[in-house]
Amino acid sequence: MKKSITFVLGCVNKLGGTEKATIDLANLLAKRGYKVSLVSVYRKITNQNNVYNIDDSIDIRYVFPKIEFLKYHLNFYRALDYISKKKVNKIINQTNPGIVFY
């Protein structure tokens, strides 16, 4: 039985190399039969309407699904950073993956 793999990233819809590479790797592993999940701190990012093609079998969980990234002052996100670490750990414990990439 193949292990489950979880990737943690800031925002699945952010235009960037790290996000694209993570999603490409997640798609590849899902096609090879691994149970893959993504934990995204934010669902949307201000002024970017990019949507990557994510395999339907990949489970996506959002830490703050209603808060847009880069919409508010940086200090707001610094405060959320402390909270998000606890919430990410809670999600990871619920999914109980074999491997976590953070």
Side-chain angles (χ1 to χ4, degrees):
M1 184 174 147
K2 294 190 177 185
K3 292 186 178 189
S4 63
I5 301 170
T6 297
F7 293 91
V8 180
L9 55 149
C11 183
V12 294
N13 294 314
K14 182 179 175 199
L15 286 172
T18 301
E19 291 77 12
K20 182 168 180 3
T22 300
I23 292 169
D24 287 347
L25 181 58
N27 285 335
L28 177 69
L29 291 170
K31 287 179 183 171
R32 297 216 175 183
Y34 288 91
K35 182 181 176 207
V36 179
S37 60
L38 297 173
V39 178
S40 179
V41 178
Y42 304 101
R43 174 174 254 162
K44 290 175 60 180
I45 184 166
T46 300
N47 298 327
Q48 288 187 15
N49 293 322
N50 185 50
V51 178
Y52 292 113
N53 292 325
I54 300 174
D55 194 280
D56 292 334
S57 67
I58 296 175
D59 178 40
I60 305 173
R61 295 182 184 222
Y62 300 97
V63 178
F64 301 115
K66 296 182 181 182
I67 298 174
E68 280 190 47
F69 187 54
L70 299 178
K71 183 176 182 178
Y72 306 105
H73 192 272
L74 184 59
N75 289 336
F76 175 74
Y77 297 105
R78 287 182 180 150
L80 284 181
D81 186 44
Y82 179 74
I83 299 167
S84 71
K85 290 175 185 173
K86 289 183 179 185
K87 288 189 170 207
V88 166
N89 285 333
K90 183 178 179 183
I91 292 170
I92 289 171
N93 288 334
Q94 288 172 348
T95 59
N96 196 22
I99 301 170
V100 177
F101 291 99
Y102 198 102

